[in-house]
Amino acid sequence: MTKLDRRRFLRLSALSAGSLLLAACGGSPASTPTSGPTSSPSSPPSSSPSASPAASPTAVATASADLTPQAASTPVQNIGQATPASYAGKYHEAPMLAELVKAGKLPPVEQRLPKHPYVVPHKWVQQGKYGGKLMMACTDQGDWATGHLIQESMYGHSPLRWLRDGLQIGPGLVEAWEANEDQTVWTFHLREGLRWSDGEPYTTADILFWWEDEVLNPEHPEAVPFELVSATGNPAKLKAIDDVTLQITFDAPAPLLPGLMACWVKRGIGPRWMDPKHYLKQFHPKYNPKVGKNWVDTFNAKADFATNPECPTMTGWRLKEYKRGQYTIWERNPYYWCIDRWGNQLPYIDTIQHNNVQDAEVLKLKFTQGAVDYVHGGFVPINVEDIATFKQAQPRSKLQIELWDSGSGTASVFFFNYDYIDPEMRQLIRNPKFRQALSYAYNRSNVQKLVYLQTGEITTGTTSPKSIEFVFNDQGRKVYEQWRDSYATYDPEKAKQMLDELGVKDVNGDGWRELPNGGKLLITLDYPASEPQSSEHVRKNELLAKDWQAIGLNARPNPQPPTGYDDRWNAGKILSKTAWEVSDGPNSLVNPTWLIPLETSRWAPLHGQGYILKSTDPQKIQQQKNRDPWKRQPPHVLPEPGDPIDRLYKAYDKARRETDPIKQHKLVWDIVKIHVEDGPFFMGCVANYPRIVLYKEGLMNVPKREDLALHGFVNTWIHPTPAVYDPEAYYWDNPQEHM
């Protein structure tokens, strides 16, 4: 099997590998319904799936694994998850669809749903009412968010799904799955009878169309998602056994696959994983030679269901109207494959309008005026400091305020470029004592007070505290706490002493410390010039710069022009990044790019580029091995044997092959130990601060914080919120008021 070429390596945002320790029940009907939605929705009968023993590697599991922090002293691993038993009652549908059925314009609901629909399992979901419109909004001076940001609210394209804030995995388009003994061969069973939003069947042909005619097509830029790259760097082999059975074969154990199949929302944000062959083949030269040489741009535009209303989708709402840079309108998908436990086909709400308000302050004003019905704080620039404003505006806006946990491990982060081009500064950056000294000089409690209003918990900076390795037992919690507290103490005197010992002293009497060789030492807190001056990042940078100035370091915030920013960072020409945050989970290996330099955007970009080239173009490494790493094309470096990054790579290589979940946890803890002993490689300020969710009075089935297994997990896109909480089950208590 040949190595991947660079074009086919994973796109930057999905460059990750993940472990999945668990599978979960998709929910099953608690009772047989006798009627459709009523005017007075009743609470569902309680049902709680019981934990099952670990499944045989060749068996399909039929019960869920309960891995709540309280219940899980030992994790339970299920290789697959069977779909709930076939729904025995009568299905119900929206009145508008029933009229189309009556008029002969639409098949009956029983023919539109798959044989085994997905049953929304959440305990807070009540039986709802059909109808109404939901107003949502975003802010983007470009156009991307206009149609695409709302995709984080729709999980319909995902083969598998995160449940219970990432503690479990349940079925999605795939209703059951299994692996062989060493987990090199995985078999996935699609739900029988799935249909695209235009009524055409959804089958394995739509997955192989994406794989063979896009990913493996050298003319198309679609990348191989990392879940389909083996630990040896080779692409998997995909085979359709039949219309509903997909087999994926690797040349090495691939225990991470199910978790990555639950990440993102697929087909729009994250890897596509499928495309409607019946519609898109007319724009592909393999099936239509008339499309011409420049077919790719047209093909991709037609495949974008967030901007092209003609493109079929599997999501709960399908695009009805798109106005570039202004709004999208989404209407009910009559073939959506999900129901609630009373047999009601979802979604309940007829339409969603998603407006792009390009001025962030105007957007906040619209919130206070009640012009928006639902606001997810992970999508828009609102923070805890805005709570008082929203509370004051409640009599007018009618917006209720809910605070879900962010799941962040850092809040606004600072990190040096470990591969900075200047050798004297790079040598200092790579000395852990220097970074530790700067961490001790960081008054995080001041940032917590002034920027995050005393929310969250002080932290050195970690990956998400909600990652399964940190919550599943006491040992995991201790590992997290050790990392969190490692260099978080505010001790400027200790910081000054450590800098003195490193030779970072004021030798010329100008009041600022110099490099050990006497050269000028300037620490720029670099951030995009487009960052709003009122943002949490800018305010944090101002406070952090003052802290470092107080111990004699010449530090200053430094806005960077956006043009060529990524290229300069990747080449080691930008000193730091300060406008990000770290929140990846639901386990530390699903997106480990903060833990391990696997790509170029985080703390060791030239190492990340070297890692990519090892998998995609090792010959290029050999050809340039005698050149200055910063003059190579592209700039790249490989770790020295035994250095921290070398040890991180080796632990990661073991972890991504390890099929035993306990051993995999321990390998993650080994990685964390390197971050504690040789870090911090990135510096946070507060962890797990809250995110705001606003929803209009009368909007039902929006979960409360106490409903959620880990009180929410908002900030990471790979655990897509609110999609994981099935907004298709939201409904208006009085739909007529929201037409």
Side-chain angles (χ1 to χ4, degrees), residues 58-76:
T58 57
V60 179
T62 58
S64 70
D66 186 0
L67 275 182
T68 60
Q70 296 78 19
S73 58
T74 303
V76 179

Side-chain angles (χ1 to χ4, degrees), residues 32-110:
T32 301
T34 57
S35 62
T38 63
S39 59
S40 178
S42 59
S43 298
S46 61
S47 65
S48 57
S50 59
S52 70
S56 164
T58 57
V60 179
T62 58
S64 70
D66 186 0
L67 275 182
T68 60
Q70 296 78 19
S73 58
T74 303
V76 179
Q77 181 178 19
N78 288 350
I79 297 300
Q81 172 59 54
T83 190
S86 181
Y87 190 80
K90 181 181 179 182
Y91 293 122
H92 310 290
E93 60 189 325
M96 62 185 298
L97 299 183
E99 290 297 320
L100 293 174
V101 173
K102 186 177 181 181
K105 298 180 179 180
L106 200 64
V109 63
E110 290 80 10

